[in-house]
Amino acid sequence: MNGLNETILLVDDEEDIVSFIRDALELDGYQVLTAASGQEALSLCKLEPSLIILDVMMPDMNGFEVCRVLRETMTCPIVFLSASQSEADRIRGLAAGGDDYLLKPFSMAELKARVHAHLRREQRIRTQKEQGILRFPPLTVDCLGRTVTCRGQEIVLTNKEFMILELLAMHQGQVFTREQIYEKLWGYDAEGDDATITEHVKKIRSKLAAVSEERTYIQTVWGIGYKWEVKS
């Protein structure tokens, strides 16, 4: 069964939708935890689910608020469910730390496909993290040795440049705002401007392009920030 040993937290206050999704995912072998409110979801996250399916509209805290709180401690994939087709809401979901945004009504086949894809990616990332090596051929990031190489050639990065690249590469596909990157690197109380992040990213891109012209790695998510996604 595909979902053996994987736990999914499903957060939605509509009982029919919860029952529909839970039954379908359990048939695939997933263990499914359910929550009907944001507070209940935050409590269940102590059980460290592998992935979270999160409804946007809920009675106490909306999904965006829940996601922002979760992202302070959790890195697992978060898939939003929403009836809103607003581009602004999709942007809010990504800015809050979501990995995906699925519109209601949706097909179960599509939801399952997205869940499987996110969990496969997470498994690859976990394996690479355990080894301390992230591979995005032809690029290799050695997190322990703090080096980046391309076809055997080292790309010399400053400490802050490496920290930004490592943060994005270790959370492939997750969108980080400039403010989030700045706070993670410099701290909440640091004095400065998140425009610094823009300049660092420009320098990182330039150094990567010098040795790997055929691929880009750091993608701009307009109006939000950046994510690591390898494109040819």
Side-chain angles (χ1 to χ4, degrees), residues 3 6-11 18-19 21-35 44 51 53:
E6 299 281 13
T7 299
I8 294 175
L9 173 58
L10 170 59
V11 188
V18 169
S19 178
I21 297 175
R22 181 186 60 223
D23 291 350
L25 293 177
E26 286 181 345
L27 281 175
D28 276 4
Y30 295 107
Q31 300 177 51
V32 181
L33 306 172
T34 62
L44 286 173
L51 179 142
I53 299 173

Side-chain angles (χ1 to χ4, degrees), residues 11-206:
V11 188
D12 199 308
D13 63 334
E14 295 185 52
E15 292 183 9
D16 290 346
I17 289 181
V18 169
S19 178
F20 175 56
I21 297 175
R22 181 186 60 223
D23 291 350
L25 293 177
E26 286 181 345
L27 281 175
D28 276 4
Y30 295 107
Q31 300 177 51
V32 181
L33 306 172
T34 62
S37 70
Q39 291 296 340
E40 190 178 356
L42 295 177
S43 178
L44 286 173
C45 279
K46 297 174 184 177
L47 299 176
E48 299 185 352
S50 305
L51 179 142
I52 299 170
I53 299 173
L54 181 58
D55 186 37
V56 171
M57 296 304 297
M58 289 185 295
D60 56 350
M61 301 172 66
N62 67 43
F64 302 137
E65 294 169 334
V66 174
C67 185
R68 278 191 286 270
V69 175
L70 292 176
R71 279 296 179 234
E72 293 178 3
T73 57
M74 302 190 68
T75 61
C76 72
I78 296 177
V79 178
F80 278 111
L81 299 180
S82 177
S84 171
Q85 298 188 24
S86 163
E87 181 181 11
D89 279 347
R90 289 197 294 273
I91 291 174
R92 283 184 68 192
L94 292 173
D99 297 274
D100 212 339
Y101 193 99
L102 189 60
L103 292 175
K104 296 179 179 179
F106 53 85
S107 74
M108 182 51 64
E110 182 178 10
L111 177 60
K112 284 185 176 183
R114 295 196 189 198
V115 167
H116 297 339
H118 283 297
L119 290 175
R120 283 197 304 269
R121 187 194 71 196
E122 284 299 297
Q123 181 57 53
R124 290 195 298 269
I125 292 174
R126 279 198 298 268
T127 300
Q128 292 184 32
K129 284 181 179 177
E130 289 169 2
Q131 299 170 343
I133 302 292
L134 305 178
R135 291 186 174 86
F136 311 95
L139 196 74
T140 299
V141 182
D142 182 345
C143 299
L144 299 179
R146 300 184 68 76
T147 60
V148 180
T149 56
C150 183
R151 301 186 183 92
Q153 178 181 346
E154 183 174 352
I155 302 169
V156 180
L157 301 175
T158 66
N159 183 51
K160 293 300 186 186
E161 288 168 357
F162 181 86
M163 290 172 69
I164 292 171
L165 184 147
E166 181 185 39
L167 172 67
L168 296 175
M170 289 185 73
H171 301 88
Q172 185 177 359
Q174 182 178 334
V175 179
F176 288 88
T177 66
R178 294 168 183 81
E179 293 84 358
Q180 287 172 330
I181 297 173
Y182 187 89
E183 288 171 357
K184 286 180 182 295
L185 268 63
W186 277 272
Y188 289 97
D189 298 327
E191 294 183 4
D193 189 340
D194 57 53
T196 303
I197 300 301
T198 302
E199 294 304 313
H200 280 302
V201 169
K202 285 181 182 178
K203 292 177 182 178
I204 296 169
R205 282 173 166 163
S206 176

